[in-house]
Amino acid sequence: MKTANVKAFGTKATDAPLKEMTIDRRDVTAKDIEIEILYCGVCHSDLHTARNDWGFTVYPSVPGHEIVGRVTKVGSEVTRLKVGDIAGVGCLVDSCQTCESCKKDLEQYCLTGFTGTYGSADKHLGGFTFGGYSEKIVVDEHFVLKVPSNLDLAAVAPLLCAGITTWSPLRHWNVTKGSKVAVVGLGGLGHMAIKLAKGLGAEVTLFSRSPGKEKDALVLGADAVIISTDSNQMNSVSGKFDLIIDTVPYVHDVNPYVATLNISGTLVLVGYLGGLEPFLNTVPMILGRKSIAGSLIGGIAETQEMLDFCGKHNIVSEIEIIKMQDINEAYERMLKSDVKYRFVIDMASLKE
Ligand SMILES: NC(=O)c1ccc[n+]([C@@H]2O[C@H](COP(=O)([O-])OP(=O)(O)OC[C@H]3O[C@@H](n4cnc5c(N)ncnc54)[C@H](OP(=O)(O)O)[C@@H]3O)[C@@H](O)[C@H]2O)c1
Ligand SMILES: [Zn+2]
Ligand SMILES: [Zn+2]
């Protein structure tokens, strides 16, 4: 059973702008929650997907995986949320829930492949999943998050991807009071990384290509800003960091950042997906037991942990609210790093 004619915004081709379309959503099964979407954050992954940057987009594509909304219907076996509750949905809407990864609350590394909020095979309706640029969504309750009641709902939305994607490596690499953390790129992920690392008590430095973001970075909680194109500034932090979270979305040279890692430090790539250029020099890695790692979003329990932490420490994203109809312009601005620091779509605009 399904509901047809749900309003959404998506694209049918790599070079086509996003525009209004209708999609199907399933009726709730026993374990499902139906959510009326109030806000949806705009992640750079939405843009990569709409434009097929990674080569695996299926069209039509309806992006959006930073979803906050109100529960409108629950299945008969749902226990965690009830009608009227505020709920969040991030990048995951399903996984096998039985493999070694899922049993360890690492659904994002499900050995049979997780179901992404958009662009994954839809086990219920066939076809592919559609994301949060839409009026409503139906999700298995295991993948629905509880949203702390004290936070601004629109500003919570980006926590569901930008927040958890930076929280997970901070936790995995045991960032704590006094850890020296650096963040590369002050965008959606980068600004959350600063806030969350600061919340955990770390000393935080931002690497940015963009002079002009220094003041904002300090207000967001950074202790220092290094302009990555200035070699004197880069040399001044040589061998300093325990952990670097690199959020840059496009191919870039990571060697200058490896030089700023302390002995046994780790550079975690969360942004760019693909082959690195130019070559990676292993000498400083071997001589300093330095690691280069990657990290994908975070599991559901870890996402709830992050949301609860944000509730306790009053941490939300810095946002600019847009209408759904402004999404194509928002993508262009995102490409120019002209966003402070996350667009969030007010989904009420879809009714206009
Ligand atoms: N691993 C995961 O699970 C995961 C989850 C979500 C998103 N992502 C990926 O993470 C990346 C960042 O997403 P986002 O939403 O934070 O993007 P964003 O808001 O556009 O921010 C990216 C930042 O990177 C810097 N930057 C942009 N282009 C650059 C270039 N060509 N060279 C060097 N620096 C550049 C800019 O910061 P400055 O101006 O300060 O230099 C920019 O603000 C995207 O590729 C996205 O797909 C990964
Ligand atoms: Zn994302
Ligand atoms: Zn699994």
Side-chain angles (χ1 to χ4, degrees):
M1 288 287 285
K2 64 185 183 189
T3 318
N5 295 326
V6 173
K7 268 194 201 176
F9 241 72
T11 176
K12 292 188 173 155
T14 313
D15 52 359
L18 276 75
K19 58 179 192 180
E20 193 172 316
M21 55 175 65
T22 57
I23 56 168
D24 296 339
R25 293 293 190 195
R26 67 179 182 267
D27 283 341
V28 292
T29 67
K31 290 187 185 319
D32 281 337
I33 295 182
E34 183 190 80
I35 298 163
E36 176 200 2
I37 300 174
L38 300 174
Y39 298 103
C40 185
V42 180
C43 179
H44 208 111
S45 301
D46 299 355
L47 192 165
H48 285 311
T49 300
R51 300 191 177 176
N52 200 19
D53 287 347
W54 294 321
F56 50 71
T57 302
V58 279
Y59 295 98
S61 170
V62 173
H65 57 205
E66 294 183 336
I67 298 166
V68 168
R70 187 176 291 109
V71 175
T72 44
K73 217 184 269 181
V74 294
S76 56
E77 292 171 23
V78 168
T79 54
R80 291 185 51 246
L81 288 115
K82 57 181 191 318
V83 171
D85 285 349
I86 297 296
V89 178
C91 308
L92 305 169
V93 289
D94 208 354
S95 72
C96 83
Q97 298 189 49
T98 56
C99 74
E100 285 306 307
S101 293
C102 286
K103 278 193 276 186
K104 289 185 205 150
D105 291 325
L106 296 169
E107 298 90 343
Q108 75 275 34
Y109 304 118
C110 175
L111 297 177
T112 61
F114 65 84
T115 305
T117 306
Y118 56 79
S120 284
D122 187 325
K123 292 180 193 166
H124 297 263
L125 294 179
F128 292 87
T129 53
F130 294 120
Y133 298 1
S134 58
E135 287 177 301
K136 64 174 179 174
I137 191 164
V138 178
V139 180
D140 181 310
E141 74 162 330
H142 178 78
F143 295 86
V144 179
L145 287 310
K146 292 182 185 176
V147 173
S149 58
N150 57 317
L151 301 178
D152 175 68
L153 292 188
V156 163
L159 301 181
L160 276 307
C161 176
I164 183 57
T165 301
T166 49
W167 176 257
S168 187
L170 290 169
R171 297 285 284 143
H172 182 74
W173 277 276
N174 299 316
V175 165
T176 183
K177 201 167 164 36
S179 301
K180 292 188 172 57
V181 173
V183 175
V184 189
L186 188 61
L189 267 56
H191 91 290
M192 286 315 309
I194 292 176
K195 288 189 177 206
L196 294 169
K198 201 67 199 166
L200 287 167
E203 182 188 320
V204 187
T205 299
L206 170 72
F207 287 115
S208 175
R209 320 159 288 173
S210 310
K213 287 188 180 174
E214 288 106 324
K215 215 167 124 198
D216 282 3
L218 299 177
V219 172
L220 290 165
D223 298 283
V225 179
I226 298 291
I227 298 300
S228 52
T229 48
D230 181 327
S231 53
N232 286 335
Q233 289 194 35
M234 289 299 281
N235 289 338
S236 72
V237 287
S238 176
K240 175 165 179 167
F241 301 111
D242 303 311
L243 183 71
I244 301 176
I245 299 184
D246 181 339
T247 75
V248 174
Y250 298 98
V251 71
H252 59 291
D253 186 1
V254 297
N255 292 295
Y257 300 111
V258 174
T260 71
L261 285 172
N262 198 351
I263 305 300
S264 306
T266 303
L267 169 83
V268 189
L269 292 158
V270 294
Y272 175 65
L273 203 57
L276 282 174
E277 291 165 25
F279 75 99
L280 178 64
N281 185 0
T282 65
V283 174
M285 293 172 66
I286 290 173
L287 297 190
R289 196 167 63 182
K290 299 175 183 183
S291 309
I292 295 188
S295 183
L296 179 67
I297 44 178
I300 296 302
E302 199 173 41
T303 307
Q304 192 62 61
E305 176 194 69
M306 178 272 310
L307 286 169
D308 295 345
F309 180 88
C310 289
K312 198 166 156 205
H313 296 265
N314 239 321
I315 294 174
V316 286
S317 173
E318 302 300 309
I319 60 165
E320 177 178 337
I321 295 192
I322 60 167
K323 291 184 178 188
M324 189 69 258
Q325 296 79 356
D326 296 333
I327 188 67
N328 295 299
E329 192 195 331
Y331 280 1
E332 291 311 314
R333 284 184 53 196
M334 194 184 241
L335 281 172
K336 291 186 238 153
S337 294
D338 175 23
V339 45
K340 290 186 172 176
Y341 279 91
R342 197 58 142 187
F343 292 119
V344 171
I345 306 158
D346 179 355
M347 217 41 81
S349 59
L350 202 48
K351 297 192 174 81
E352 287 173 6

